[in-house]
PDB file of all heavy atoms in Angstrom:
ATOM      1  N   SER A   1       8.154  15.026  -7.390  1.00 89.00           N
ATOM      2  CA  SER A   1       6.801  14.403  -7.430  1.00 89.00           C
ATOM      3  C   SER A   1       6.906  12.894  -7.535  1.00 89.00           C
ATOM      4  O   SER A   1       6.084  12.180  -6.992  1.00 89.00           O
ATOM      5  CB  SER A   1       6.008  14.974  -8.604  1.00 89.00           C
ATOM      6  OG  SER A   1       6.653  14.711  -9.833  1.00 89.00           O
ATOM      7  N   GLY A   2       7.914  12.384  -8.242  1.00 83.00           N
ATOM      8  CA  GLY A   2       8.043  10.961  -8.428  1.00 83.00           C
ATOM      9  C   GLY A   2       8.393  10.205  -7.179  1.00 83.00           C
ATOM     10  O   GLY A   2       7.920   9.088  -6.951  1.00 83.00           O
ATOM     11  N   GLY A   3       9.221  10.791  -6.315  1.00 77.00           N
ATOM     12  CA  GLY A   3       9.623  10.097  -5.089  1.00 77.00           C
ATOM     13  C   GLY A   3       8.633  10.227  -3.965  1.00 77.00           C
ATOM     14  O   GLY A   3       8.864   9.680  -2.879  1.00 77.00           O
ATOM     15  N   ALA A   4       7.533  10.938  -4.215  1.00 88.00           N
ATOM     16  CA  ALA A   4       6.625  11.281  -3.133  1.00 88.00           C
ATOM     17  C   ALA A   4       5.408  10.393  -3.020  1.00 88.00           C
ATOM     18  O   ALA A   4       4.719  10.364  -1.994  1.00 88.00           O
ATOM     19  CB  ALA A   4       6.161  12.726  -3.290  1.00 88.00           C
ATOM     20  N   THR A   5       5.091   9.628  -4.074  1.00 91.00           N
ATOM     21  CA  THR A   5       3.777   8.948  -4.108  1.00 91.00           C
ATOM     22  C   THR A   5       3.751   7.622  -3.357  1.00 91.00           C
ATOM     23  O   THR A   5       2.683   7.193  -2.896  1.00 91.00           O
ATOM     24  CB  THR A   5       3.369   8.695  -5.555  1.00 91.00           C
ATOM     25  OG1 THR A   5       4.365   7.926  -6.222  1.00 91.00           O
ATOM     26  CG2 THR A   5       3.154  10.011  -6.292  1.00 91.00           C
ATOM     27  N   VAL A   6       4.917   6.940  -3.228  1.00 87.00           N
ATOM     28  CA  VAL A   6       4.892   5.578  -2.672  1.00 87.00           C
ATOM     29  C   VAL A   6       4.456   5.563  -1.199  1.00 87.00           C
ATOM     30  O   VAL A   6       3.673   4.730  -0.780  1.00 87.00           O
ATOM     31  CB  VAL A   6       6.277   4.920  -2.837  1.00 87.00           C
ATOM     32  CG1 VAL A   6       6.304   3.570  -2.116  1.00 87.00           C
ATOM     33  CG2 VAL A   6       6.593   4.755  -4.297  1.00 87.00           C
ATOM     34  N   THR A   7       5.007   6.474  -0.375  1.00 84.00           N
ATOM     35  CA  THR A   7       4.707   6.472   1.033  1.00 84.00           C
ATOM     36  C   THR A   7       3.211   6.677   1.352  1.00 84.00           C
ATOM     37  O   THR A   7       2.616   5.915   2.082  1.00 84.00           O
ATOM     38  CB  THR A   7       5.577   7.501   1.773  1.00 84.00           C
ATOM     39  OG1 THR A   7       6.948   7.166   1.625  1.00 84.00           O
ATOM     40  CG2 THR A   7       5.259   7.495   3.274  1.00 84.00           C
ATOM     41  N   PRO A   8       2.555   7.712   0.793  1.00 89.00           N
ATOM     42  CA  PRO A   8       1.102   7.837   1.069  1.00 89.00           C
ATOM     43  C   PRO A   8       0.288   6.727   0.462  1.00 89.00           C
ATOM     44  O   PRO A   8      -0.711   6.316   1.040  1.00 89.00           O
ATOM     45  CB  PRO A   8       0.735   9.207   0.442  1.00 89.00           C
ATOM     46  CG  PRO A   8       1.838   9.526  -0.482  1.00 89.00           C
ATOM     47  CD  PRO A   8       3.081   8.886   0.043  1.00 89.00           C
ATOM     48  N   THR A   9       0.706   6.201  -0.687  1.00 90.00           N
ATOM     49  CA  THR A   9      -0.025   5.071  -1.289  1.00 90.00           C
ATOM     50  C   THR A   9       0.056   3.854  -0.401  1.00 90.00           C
ATOM     51  O   THR A   9      -0.980   3.218  -0.070  1.00 90.00           O
ATOM     52  CB  THR A   9       0.521   4.759  -2.692  1.00 90.00           C
ATOM     53  OG1 THR A   9       0.364   5.903  -3.531  1.00 90.00           O
ATOM     54  CG2 THR A   9      -0.183   3.582  -3.300  1.00 90.00           C
ATOM     55  N   SER A  10       1.276   3.475   0.006  1.00 84.00           N
ATOM     56  CA  SER A  10       1.412   2.286   0.887  1.00 84.00           C
ATOM     57  C   SER A  10       0.812   2.558   2.240  1.00 84.00           C
ATOM     58  O   SER A  10       0.296   1.672   2.913  1.00 84.00           O
ATOM     59  CB  SER A  10       2.854   1.921   1.025  1.00 84.00           C
ATOM     60  OG  SER A  10       3.657   2.942   1.593  1.00 84.00           O
ATOM     61  N   GLY A  11       0.844   3.829   2.686  1.00 83.00           N
ATOM     62  CA  GLY A  11       0.259   4.179   3.999  1.00 83.00           C
ATOM     63  C   GLY A  11      -1.246   3.967   4.008  1.00 83.00           C
ATOM     64  O   GLY A  11      -1.803   3.535   5.022  1.00 83.00           O
ATOM     65  N   ILE A  12      -1.937   4.283   2.900  1.00 88.00           N
ATOM     66  CA  ILE A  12      -3.371   4.031   2.844  1.00 88.00           C
ATOM     67  C   ILE A  12      -3.677   2.538   2.961  1.00 88.00           C
ATOM     68  O   ILE A  12      -4.633   2.134   3.613  1.00 88.00           O
ATOM     69  CB  ILE A  12      -3.940   4.618   1.514  1.00 88.00           C
ATOM     70  CG1 ILE A  12      -3.878   6.136   1.563  1.00 88.00           C
ATOM     71  CG2 ILE A  12      -5.381   4.153   1.299  1.00 88.00           C
ATOM     72  CD1 ILE A  12      -4.295   6.813   0.235  1.00 88.00           C
ATOM     73  N   VAL A  13      -2.795   1.716   2.363  1.00 87.00           N
ATOM     74  CA  VAL A  13      -2.984   0.268   2.442  1.00 87.00           C
ATOM     75  C   VAL A  13      -2.779  -0.222   3.869  1.00 87.00           C
ATOM     76  O   VAL A  13      -3.607  -0.967   4.414  1.00 87.00           O
ATOM     77  CB  VAL A  13      -2.022  -0.462   1.493  1.00 87.00           C
ATOM     78  CG1 VAL A  13      -2.064  -1.963   1.705  1.00 87.00           C
ATOM     79  CG2 VAL A  13      -2.362  -0.122   0.055  1.00 87.00           C
ATOM     80  N   THR A  14      -1.663   0.156   4.500  1.00 78.00           N
ATOM     81  CA  THR A  14      -1.337  -0.372   5.843  1.00 78.00           C
ATOM     82  C   THR A  14      -2.302   0.102   6.910  1.00 78.00           C
ATOM     83  O   THR A  14      -2.481  -0.580   7.937  1.00 78.00           O
ATOM     84  CB  THR A  14       0.121   0.005   6.226  1.00 78.00           C
ATOM     85  OG1 THR A  14       0.265   1.414   6.161  1.00 78.00           O
ATOM     86  CG2 THR A  14       1.123  -0.677   5.291  1.00 78.00           C
ATOM     87  N   GLU A  15      -2.943   1.267   6.713  1.00 81.00           N
ATOM     88  CA  GLU A  15      -3.867   1.742   7.738  1.00 81.00           C
ATOM     89  C   GLU A  15      -5.302   1.211   7.532  1.00 81.00           C
ATOM     90  O   GLU A  15      -6.116   1.318   8.456  1.00 81.00           O
ATOM     91  CB  GLU A  15      -3.879   3.282   7.782  1.00 81.00           C
ATOM     92  CG  GLU A  15      -4.543   3.953   6.621  1.00 81.00           C
ATOM     93  CD  GLU A  15      -4.393   5.483   6.661  1.00 81.00           C
ATOM     94  OE1 GLU A  15      -3.650   5.988   7.523  1.00 81.00           O
ATOM     95  OE2 GLU A  15      -5.016   6.162   5.811  1.00 81.00           O
ATOM     96  N   ARG A  16      -5.608   0.648   6.388  1.00 82.00           N
ATOM     97  CA  ARG A  16      -6.959   0.226   6.106  1.00 82.00           C
ATOM     98  C   ARG A  16      -7.113  -1.269   5.829  1.00 82.00           C
ATOM     99  O   ARG A  16      -8.213  -1.757   5.711  1.00 82.00           O
ATOM    100  CB  ARG A  16      -7.496   1.006   4.868  1.00 82.00           C
ATOM    101  CG  ARG A  16      -7.434   2.514   5.059  1.00 82.00           C
ATOM    102  CD  ARG A  16      -8.179   3.248   3.960  1.00 82.00           C
ATOM    103  NE  ARG A  16      -7.909   4.679   4.026  1.00 82.00           N
ATOM    104  CZ  ARG A  16      -8.660   5.619   3.447  1.00 82.00           C
ATOM    105  NH1 ARG A  16      -9.720   5.273   2.769  1.00 82.00           N
ATOM    106  NH2 ARG A  16      -8.314   6.892   3.554  1.00 82.00           N
ATOM    107  N   PHE A  17      -5.989  -2.005   5.774  1.00 80.00           N
ATOM    108  CA  PHE A  17      -6.004  -3.448   5.513  1.00 80.00           C
ATOM    109  C   PHE A  17      -5.169  -4.168   6.556  1.00 80.00           C
ATOM    110  O   PHE A  17      -4.294  -3.569   7.164  1.00 80.00           O
ATOM    111  CB  PHE A  17      -5.515  -3.755   4.090  1.00 80.00           C
ATOM    112  CG  PHE A  17      -6.414  -3.254   2.999  1.00 80.00           C
ATOM    113  CD1 PHE A  17      -6.239  -1.962   2.497  1.00 80.00           C
ATOM    114  CD2 PHE A  17      -7.394  -4.062   2.441  1.00 80.00           C
ATOM    115  CE1 PHE A  17      -7.035  -1.471   1.469  1.00 80.00           C
ATOM    116  CE2 PHE A  17      -8.227  -3.595   1.432  1.00 80.00           C
ATOM    117  CZ  PHE A  17      -8.027  -2.303   0.942  1.00 80.00           C
ATOM    118  N   PRO A  18      -5.387  -5.484   6.779  1.00 75.00           N
ATOM    119  CA  PRO A  18      -4.591  -6.226   7.741  1.00 75.00           C
ATOM    120  C   PRO A  18      -3.093  -6.181   7.375  1.00 75.00           C
ATOM    121  O   PRO A  18      -2.710  -6.277   6.217  1.00 75.00           O
ATOM    122  CB  PRO A  18      -5.140  -7.656   7.621  1.00 75.00           C
ATOM    123  CG  PRO A  18      -6.519  -7.488   7.104  1.00 75.00           C
ATOM    124  CD  PRO A  18      -6.487  -6.290   6.187  1.00 75.00           C
ATOM    125  N   LEU A  19      -2.278  -6.052   8.441  1.00 67.00           N
ATOM    126  CA  LEU A  19      -0.844  -5.902   8.236  1.00 67.00           C
ATOM    127  C   LEU A  19      -0.245  -7.125   7.557  1.00 67.00           C
ATOM    128  O   LEU A  19       0.662  -6.991   6.707  1.00 67.00           O
ATOM    129  CB  LEU A  19      -0.136  -5.656   9.579  1.00 67.00           C
ATOM    130  CG  LEU A  19       1.360  -5.484   9.544  1.00 67.00           C
ATOM    131  CD1 LEU A  19       1.775  -4.312   8.664  1.00 67.00           C
ATOM    132  CD2 LEU A  19       1.913  -5.326  10.958  1.00 67.00           C
ATOM    133  N   ALA A  20      -0.759  -8.297   7.875  1.00 67.00           N
ATOM    134  CA  ALA A  20      -0.209  -9.542   7.275  1.00 67.00           C
ATOM    135  C   ALA A  20      -0.445  -9.607   5.760  1.00 67.00           C
ATOM    136  O   ALA A  20       0.229 -10.384   5.093  1.00 67.00           O
ATOM    137  CB  ALA A  20      -0.831 -10.765   7.942  1.00 67.00           C
ATOM    138  N   GLN A  21      -1.348  -8.799   5.239  1.00 74.00           N
ATOM    139  CA  GLN A  21      -1.600  -8.772   3.835  1.00 74.00           C
ATOM    140  C   GLN A  21      -0.904  -7.629   3.136  1.00 74.00           C
ATOM    141  O   GLN A  21      -0.991  -7.467   1.920  1.00 74.00           O
ATOM    142  CB  GLN A  21      -3.111  -8.693   3.558  1.00 74.00           C
ATOM    143  CG  GLN A  21      -3.905  -9.875   4.039  1.00 74.00           C
ATOM    144  CD  GLN A  21      -5.403  -9.686   3.771  1.00 74.00           C
ATOM    145  OE1 GLN A  21      -5.846  -8.692   3.210  1.00 74.00           O
ATOM    146  NE2 GLN A  21      -6.190 -10.678   4.169  1.00 74.00           N
ATOM    147  N   SER A  22      -0.230  -6.765   3.888  1.00 74.00           N
ATOM    148  CA  SER A  22       0.282  -5.518   3.328  1.00 74.00           C
ATOM    149  C   SER A  22       1.273  -5.734   2.185  1.00 74.00           C
ATOM    150  O   SER A  22       1.198  -5.049   1.175  1.00 74.00           O
ATOM    151  CB  SER A  22       0.912  -4.665   4.435  1.00 74.00           C
ATOM    152  OG  SER A  22       2.040  -5.300   5.017  1.00 74.00           O
ATOM    153  N   ALA A  23       2.197  -6.663   2.330  1.00 72.00           N
ATOM    154  CA  ALA A  23       3.191  -6.878   1.287  1.00 72.00           C
ATOM    155  C   ALA A  23       2.525  -7.314  -0.002  1.00 72.00           C
ATOM    156  O   ALA A  23       2.865  -6.871  -1.102  1.00 72.00           O
ATOM    157  CB  ALA A  23       4.249  -7.907   1.701  1.00 72.00           C
ATOM    158  N   ALA A  24       1.577  -8.255   0.108  1.00 77.00           N
ATOM    159  CA  ALA A  24       0.898  -8.744  -1.108  1.00 77.00           C
ATOM    160  C   ALA A  24       0.004  -7.644  -1.734  1.00 77.00           C
ATOM    161  O   ALA A  24      -0.057  -7.537  -2.935  1.00 77.00           O
ATOM    162  CB  ALA A  24       0.038  -9.973  -0.750  1.00 77.00           C
ATOM    163  N   LEU A  25      -0.664  -6.850  -0.883  1.00 85.00           N
ATOM    164  CA  LEU A  25      -1.534  -5.807  -1.396  1.00 85.00           C
ATOM    165  C   LEU A  25      -0.728  -4.649  -2.025  1.00 85.00           C
ATOM    166  O   LEU A  25      -1.113  -4.145  -3.109  1.00 85.00           O
ATOM    167  CB  LEU A  25      -2.451  -5.263  -0.296  1.00 85.00           C
ATOM    168  CG  LEU A  25      -3.526  -6.191   0.167  1.00 85.00           C
ATOM    169  CD1 LEU A  25      -4.280  -5.630   1.382  1.00 85.00           C
ATOM    170  CD2 LEU A  25      -4.528  -6.469  -0.982  1.00 85.00           C
ATOM    171  N   VAL A  26       0.333  -4.261  -1.367  1.00 84.00           N
ATOM    172  CA  VAL A  26       1.235  -3.289  -2.016  1.00 84.00           C
ATOM    173  C   VAL A  26       1.820  -3.849  -3.285  1.00 84.00           C
ATOM    174  O   VAL A  26       1.997  -3.158  -4.290  1.00 84.00           O
ATOM    175  CB  VAL A  26       2.342  -2.806  -1.029  1.00 84.00           C
ATOM    176  CG1 VAL A  26       3.345  -1.924  -1.731  1.00 84.00           C
ATOM    177  CG2 VAL A  26       1.728  -2.071   0.137  1.00 84.00           C
ATOM    178  N   GLY A  27       2.067  -5.173  -3.260  1.00 81.00           N
ATOM    179  CA  GLY A  27       2.570  -5.814  -4.478  1.00 81.00           C
ATOM    180  C   GLY A  27       1.541  -5.755  -5.605  1.00 81.00           C
ATOM    181  O   GLY A  27       1.895  -5.598  -6.757  1.00 81.00           O
ATOM    182  N   LEU A  28       0.258  -5.883  -5.249  1.00 86.00           N
ATOM    183  CA  LEU A  28      -0.806  -5.768  -6.266  1.00 86.00           C
ATOM    184  C   LEU A  28      -0.808  -4.367  -6.878  1.00 86.00           C
ATOM    185  O   LEU A  28      -1.013  -4.214  -8.066  1.00 86.00           O
ATOM    186  CB  LEU A  28      -2.172  -6.090  -5.635  1.00 86.00           C
ATOM    187  CG  LEU A  28      -2.502  -7.541  -5.404  1.00 86.00           C
ATOM    188  CD1 LEU A  28      -3.820  -7.657  -4.617  1.00 86.00           C
ATOM    189  CD2 LEU A  28      -2.669  -8.277  -6.742  1.00 86.00           C
ATOM    190  N   LEU A  29      -0.615  -3.365  -6.014  1.00 90.00           N
ATOM    191  CA  LEU A  29      -0.523  -1.998  -6.534  1.00 90.00           C
ATOM    192  C   LEU A  29       0.654  -1.843  -7.451  1.00 90.00           C
ATOM    193  O   LEU A  29       0.575  -1.197  -8.509  1.00 90.00           O
ATOM    194  CB  LEU A  29      -0.430  -1.009  -5.389  1.00 90.00           C
ATOM    195  CG  LEU A  29      -1.688  -0.852  -4.523  1.00 90.00           C
ATOM    196  CD1 LEU A  29      -1.450   0.118  -3.383  1.00 90.00           C
ATOM    197  CD2 LEU A  29      -2.892  -0.368  -5.343  1.00 90.00           C
ATOM    198  N   PHE A  30       1.793  -2.438  -7.074  1.00 83.00           N
ATOM    199  CA  PHE A  30       2.979  -2.344  -7.946  1.00 83.00           C
ATOM    200  C   PHE A  30       2.805  -3.166  -9.203  1.00 83.00           C
ATOM    201  O   PHE A  30       3.414  -2.871 -10.233  1.00 83.00           O
ATOM    202  CB  PHE A  30       4.222  -2.811  -7.169  1.00 83.00           C
ATOM    203  CG  PHE A  30       4.929  -1.671  -6.473  1.00 83.00           C
ATOM    204  CD1 PHE A  30       4.755  -1.432  -5.115  1.00 83.00           C
ATOM    205  CD2 PHE A  30       5.766  -0.818  -7.191  1.00 83.00           C
ATOM    206  CE1 PHE A  30       5.377  -0.383  -4.487  1.00 83.00           C
ATOM    207  CE2 PHE A  30       6.430   0.219  -6.557  1.00 83.00           C
ATOM    208  CZ  PHE A  30       6.243   0.448  -5.201  1.00 83.00           C
ATOM    209  N   LEU A  31       1.955  -4.194  -9.166  1.00 84.00           N
ATOM    210  CA  LEU A  31       1.607  -4.907 -10.389  1.00 84.00           C
ATOM    211  C   LEU A  31       0.934  -3.975 -11.378  1.00 84.00           C
ATOM    212  O   LEU A  31       1.329  -3.919 -12.544  1.00 84.00           O
ATOM    213  CB  LEU A  31       0.710  -6.093 -10.059  1.00 84.00           C
ATOM    214  CG  LEU A  31       0.048  -6.811 -11.246  1.00 84.00           C
ATOM    215  CD1 LEU A  31       1.101  -7.328 -12.208  1.00 84.00           C
ATOM    216  CD2 LEU A  31      -0.831  -7.960 -10.757  1.00 84.00           C
TER     217      LEU A  31
END
């Protein structure tokens, strides 16, 4: 369960937000 959450979480970001912001937005989630 622990190794499974990152891909769908980051996938929701990359499919709904501009790609150029993806690293910073995923970074916000990791914050």
Side-chain angles (χ1 to χ4, degrees):
S1 60
T5 57
V6 174
T7 298
T9 298
S10 61
I12 291 174
V13 172
T14 55
E15 72 185 9
R16 304 188 190 200
F17 293 88
L19 181 59
Q21 296 179 1
S22 62
L25 289 173
V26 172
L28 283 172
L29 291 177
F30 269 99
L31 169 57

